[in-house]
Amino acid sequence: MNLIVDVGNTFVKFAVFQEDSLVGKKSFELSDFKKEFKKIKKEFPKLKKAVISSVGKLSKKQIEIVEEELEVLVLSHDLELPFKNLYETPKTLGVDRIALVSASVSQFPESNALIIDAGTCITYDFVTTENEYLGGAISPGIRLRYHALHNLTANLPLLEKSQPKSIIGGSTESSIHSGVIMGVVKEIDGVIDQYKAEHQDLTVILTGGDANFLSNQLKNSIFANSNFLLEGLNYILDFNSK
C-alpha cells in the first residue's frame, strides 16, 4: 500500500492506494499533520511506502515523522520521471505539475494532452505524443480572483464562489460573480481552442479543487478527474520503485 502526501497552498491531502486503486483520502490543515498521519497509519497498517509532494510549507520535522514509519520518496525534478522534461527552467517546475504530467503519460499514452489544474492557481501543462513535456501557463484561480478584487480595492466585498445567473450583473455582488466565473470559463475555453488549433487529436484533462464546479460550464469536451494529481503521484512512486 502507498501513502500519497500532497501539500498544497491551502490544505494537505493524504491518499492511500492499493496498487492503482484509491482506497482512502482525506484533507486537513497543515497544523494537524502529525495527528492525521497517526490516524491514517492506524487505519491502514499495511502502508509501506510514501511519496511527498509539497508546494506548501512542509517542515523537515514533519517529513521525518513519515520517514520514521515508511519508505519515503520526496518528489523533485531530480527524480527519474516517466516523460522527457523540456521545460527551460526544470528546477523551477512545480512538483504538482510534474505529478499531473506523469498521470497524463500513464493514462493517456502517446497523446497530445493538455492538463488543466483549477486550484488556487490555474495551471496549464502540455505533453506531446512523444512524451515530451513542453510547458504551459499559470493563471490566478477562482479563489485568488475573488480575494484580489477584495484586497486590492477599497469597497468590493469578499465573496464565496457562486454560479452567475447571467453575464449581466445587476448588482455589485452579481457583477463580481459574473466577472470572476465567466472570466475563468472563457479563459479556459479560449486556451483549449488555441491548443486545438495547433495540435491535432488533443486530449484535455481538467482536475483540481474547482474541476467539478467548472466542468459543466465549459463548451469544450474534457475528461474531469479530481484525483488526477494523486494518481500521478502514485504512478511516480511506483515508477521509481521498480
Side-chain angles (χ1 to χ4, degrees):
M1 273 189 160
N2 293 338
L3 175 65
I4 311 305
V5 182
D6 174 29
V7 185
N9 291 300
T10 308
F11 294 103
V12 179
K13 289 179 184 175
F14 280 165
V16 176
F17 280 83
Q18 178 70 52
E19 295 182 347
D20 294 331
S21 298
L22 179 64
V23 296
K25 184 175 72 169
K26 71 186 312 181
S27 179
F28 54 91
E29 294 184 354
L30 184 59
S31 57
D32 293 327
F33 188 90
K34 184 175 182 179
K35 178 179 68 176
E36 293 298 335
F37 177 72
K38 287 183 177 180
K39 284 183 181 179
I40 206 158
K41 188 69 171 61
K42 185 176 181 180
E43 185 178 356
F44 298 96
K46 292 184 179 180
L47 284 170
K48 299 296 183 183
K49 298 179 181 180
V51 58
I52 296 176
S53 168
S54 178
V55 299
K57 298 180 180 179
L58 191 66
S59 69
K60 183 178 179 181
K61 187 174 182 180
Q62 287 166 322
I63 294 175
E64 289 174 349
I65 291 171
V66 185
E67 289 177 330
E68 288 174 359
E69 301 284 343
L70 305 173
E71 182 182 335
V72 174
L73 178 76
V74 178
L75 182 56
S76 76
H77 70 279
D78 292 323
L79 291 179
E80 185 176 356
L81 301 174
F83 59 89
K84 186 175 182 180
N85 189 356
L86 299 181
Y87 203 55
E88 292 180 5
T89 55
K91 292 182 179 180
T92 68
L93 182 61
V95 289
D96 52 341
R97 299 173 75 185
I98 291 174
L100 292 169
V101 176
S102 298
S104 176
V105 300
S106 169
Q107 298 182 31
F108 302 95
E110 298 180 355
S111 298
N112 284 322
L114 175 65
I115 310 105
I116 304 168
D117 184 8
T120 303
C121 293
I122 301 172
T123 58
Y124 302 86
D125 292 292
F126 180 71
V127 60
T128 71
T129 55
E130 289 79 28
N131 268 14
E132 294 177 338
Y133 172 67
L134 303 185
I138 303 172
S139 175
I142 291 176
R143 183 169 172 266
L144 273 181
R145 297 182 196 215
Y146 278 116
H147 277 263
L149 288 173
H150 173 65
N151 293 330
L152 300 178
T153 64
N155 297 312
L156 293 181
L158 177 60
L159 305 178
E160 294 295 324
K161 70 182 177 187
S162 177
Q163 176 62 43
K165 297 178 180 179
S166 170
I167 194 170
I168 302 173
S171 67
T172 297
E173 289 195 3
S174 60
S175 295
I176 292 173
H177 289 312
S178 177
V180 171
I181 304 304
M182 295 292 189
V184 167
V185 170
K186 296 302 181 185
E187 173 193 307
I188 293 175
D189 268 329
V191 170
I192 294 172
D193 285 344
Q194 188 164 346
Y195 271 89
K196 282 185 172 179
E198 298 179 12
H199 303 281
Q200 294 182 342
D201 301 320
L202 183 71
T203 298
V204 182
I205 304 105
L206 178 66
T207 188
D210 289 325
N212 291 334
F213 178 78
L214 292 168
S215 59
N216 293 330
Q217 303 179 57
L218 299 173
K219 69 177 179 65
N220 280 285
S221 177
I222 59 168
F223 292 96
N225 182 347
S226 59
N227 294 319
F228 203 61
L229 187 144
L230 300 175
E231 292 166 0
L233 290 171
N234 186 59
Y235 179 59
I236 289 173
L237 179 56
D238 287 342
F239 185 80
N240 278 269
S241 297
K242 295 178 181 178

